[in-house]
Amino acid sequence: MPTIYGYIRVSTRAQKDERQWLSLRQAGVEDQHIFVDKATGKHFNRPAYRRMLCRLLRSGDLLYAKSIDRLGRNYEEMLRQWRLLVEEKQVDVQVLDMPLLDTRRRKSATTALMADMLLRLLSYMAQAEREAIRSRQAQGIAAAKARGVRFGRPRLPVPEGFKGLKAQWEEGKISSRQAAQQLHISHQTFLRWAKEK
């Protein structure tokens, strides 16, 4: 008996996936058959996707995704995975936001051709959007750095006893690990401070 699966992907843990859950449930996918990844769309080496692909999907099963970019954002890899699913594993795939991308509807050569062209176009657009996002992100980071914004954890203040311990370390009286231990900081932090100050 064929099984109906659903696949959800968001790029970061902070992103919400409720709309995708809602769409898949409305399509009739049971929660236990929905696989979720919180990972980039640039490749398909994602835990839930790999588990679903390798262990569960069988010939005749149906896989739903809300939109093509939820499957992936890499043009070449997207086409390769689509072929793997549809041709090799003989799984039907339906993209809910794009009804033409439903492999069950490939009754005529014209429908199949149109669906293939649409898949290529949407996969290309998903990759282009990923590249645009990365470009905008890099520009934003550069602009923030130019304004003096610091990224990452705030730096620890250098403790009062640092200079004395650094001098002892430079004279070979104590190790850098011992100095770090006395200051209650990591060994790497002590060495970084010693180099900077």
Side-chain angles (χ1 to χ4, degrees):
M1 174 98 183
T3 307
I4 300 173
Y5 292 101
Y7 182 71
I8 292 173
R9 184 190 67 79
V10 290
S11 297
T12 66
R13 296 200 179 279
Q15 287 181 319
K16 306 289 184 214
D17 58 11
E18 287 93 8
R19 289 183 315 111
Q20 294 180 67
W21 276 98
L22 182 62
S23 294
L24 294 176
R25 287 173 178 149
Q26 287 174 344
V29 185
E30 296 176 9
D31 285 6
Q32 71 267 22
H33 293 142
I34 296 176
F35 290 81
V36 181
D37 277 314
K38 296 185 187 248
T40 180
K42 71 180 177 182
H43 58 74
F44 281 81
N45 191 20
R46 302 178 219 126
Y49 181 82
R50 301 301 311 166
R51 189 170 62 253
M52 179 183 68
L53 181 69
C54 298
R55 296 186 194 158
L56 298 171
L57 286 174
R58 302 284 180 256
S59 177
D61 287 348
L62 172 60
L63 174 62
Y64 282 112
K66 171 121 175 76
S67 60
I68 197 75
D69 64 341
R70 297 304 85 205
L71 281 174
R73 287 189 178 269
N74 177 315
Y75 177 76
E76 293 294 329
E77 193 59 28
M78 186 64 229
L79 298 179
R80 193 173 5 263
Q81 289 298 315
W82 190 271
R83 275 193 298 277
L84 173 67
L85 289 166
V86 175
E87 294 172 14
E88 292 179 34
K89 293 190 88 55
Q90 297 181 345
V91 171
D92 282 314
V93 180
Q94 181 180 355
V95 177
L96 295 171
D97 284 356
M98 192 58 57
L100 189 57
L101 285 180
D102 182 350
T103 58
R104 296 170 299 171
R105 297 180 63 198
R106 292 181 167 216
K107 301 289 187 242
S108 70
T110 303
T111 306
L113 175 64
M114 287 174 55
D116 187 56
M117 289 171 31
L118 185 60
L119 171 66
R120 289 175 179 277
L121 175 65
L122 293 175
S123 297
Y124 172 79
M125 289 172 58
Q127 178 172 321
E129 177 61 17
R130 179 175 63 91
E131 291 167 358
I133 289 168
R134 286 179 48 196
S135 174
R136 289 190 299 266
Q137 183 181 39
Q139 290 169 4
I141 290 170
K145 284 183 177 179
R147 291 191 315 271
V149 174
R150 293 184 58 96
F151 291 90
R153 292 188 309 193
R155 286 187 169 235
L156 292 173
V158 178
E160 285 183 29
F162 172 75
K163 286 186 181 179
L165 289 170
K166 179 185 174 193
Q168 289 180 40
W169 170 69
E170 287 173 333
E171 294 168 7
K173 293 180 180 174
I174 61 171
S175 72
S176 59
R177 290 191 187 278
Q178 290 170 324
Q181 224 172 17
Q182 289 183 42
L183 294 169
H184 305 290
I185 60 172
S186 73
H187 175 240
Q188 292 84 3
T189 300
F190 177 81
L191 291 175
R192 182 170 43 81
W193 284 349
K195 198 182 296 182
E196 292 172 356
K197 311 220 180 293

